Amino acid sequence: MEKRKNLCAMIPETLHTKIRDEQERKELTLSQLVENVFEEYFKMEGKVMDGKTRTLAFQISEELFTKIKTHIKKTGQSQKDFVIGLIEQALEETEEAEGTEEVEGTEEVEETVEAEEVEEEEAIEEAEEPEVSEDRY
């Protein structure tokens, strides 16, 4: 095991509270949490947000979430690496089954994705608009 050194820093109370909440939520020691944060920071160092990345978000059941968290703890993977690995594996299997190296029709897929994003944005805007009641006294 690599030799360890202590690190101490004064931080604002609000940030301290957020850190402790995250530590409890992730069920980590403070040392583990801080180590994870710095490891992620140094992985990202030098990577410029060039607009070529996208966010993928979805909801899952509590039961599946717990299973994933347990698996991630056992393997030491990040949640992001785990999900990306699954996606890449599925895509490779599909490409092998189809006998192609690249999926055709990417322009059509991109147009569909853009249309879905517009629909999502419109739905969010509609949900944020206050509901006006027609019923008056």
Side-chain angles (χ1 to χ4, degrees), residues 19-66:
I19 291 168
R20 289 301 191 174
D21 290 345
E22 184 71 3
Q23 174 191 355
E24 187 177 314
R25 189 180 69 77
K26 289 188 172 188
E27 298 177 351
L28 297 172
T29 66
L30 182 58
S31 294
Q32 291 169 323
L33 180 65
V34 170
E35 185 174 346
N36 290 347
V37 167
F38 279 111
E39 289 293 336
E40 283 297 314
Y41 172 80
F42 288 117
K43 279 184 197 174
M44 294 298 295
E45 191 174 323
K47 292 184 181 179
V48 178
M49 295 303 278
D50 55 10
K52 295 182 181 178
T53 60
R54 302 295 299 260
T55 299
L56 179 64
F58 48 89
Q59 293 183 339
I60 58 175
S61 69
E62 183 68 32
E63 179 183 355
L64 181 57
F65 183 80
T66 302

Side-chain angles (χ1 to χ4, degrees), residues 46-126:
K47 292 184 181 179
V48 178
M49 295 303 278
D50 55 10
K52 295 182 181 178
T53 60
R54 302 295 299 260
T55 299
L56 179 64
F58 48 89
Q59 293 183 339
I60 58 175
S61 69
E62 183 68 32
E63 179 183 355
L64 181 57
F65 183 80
T66 302
K67 287 179 180 179
I68 291 169
K69 284 297 186 185
T70 302
H71 176 77
I72 288 171
K73 267 188 177 177
K74 287 179 185 175
T75 62
Q77 284 181 296
S78 70
Q79 185 173 311
K80 176 183 174 183
D81 290 340
F82 175 68
V83 172
I84 289 173
L86 291 174
I87 293 169
E88 288 174 341
Q89 179 183 354
L91 293 173
E92 287 173 12
E93 290 172 3
T94 301
E95 288 173 358
E96 288 173 10
E98 292 176 350
T100 61
E101 283 297 312
E102 198 170 311
V103 177
E104 294 181 21
T106 53
E107 286 180 18
E108 188 176 309
V109 170
E110 288 174 0
E111 289 173 3
T112 303
V113 169
E114 288 175 12
E116 289 173 353
E117 288 174 349
V118 169
E119 289 174 8
E120 286 177 13
E121 288 173 10
E122 290 172 352
I124 290 170
E125 288 172 4
E126 287 177 13

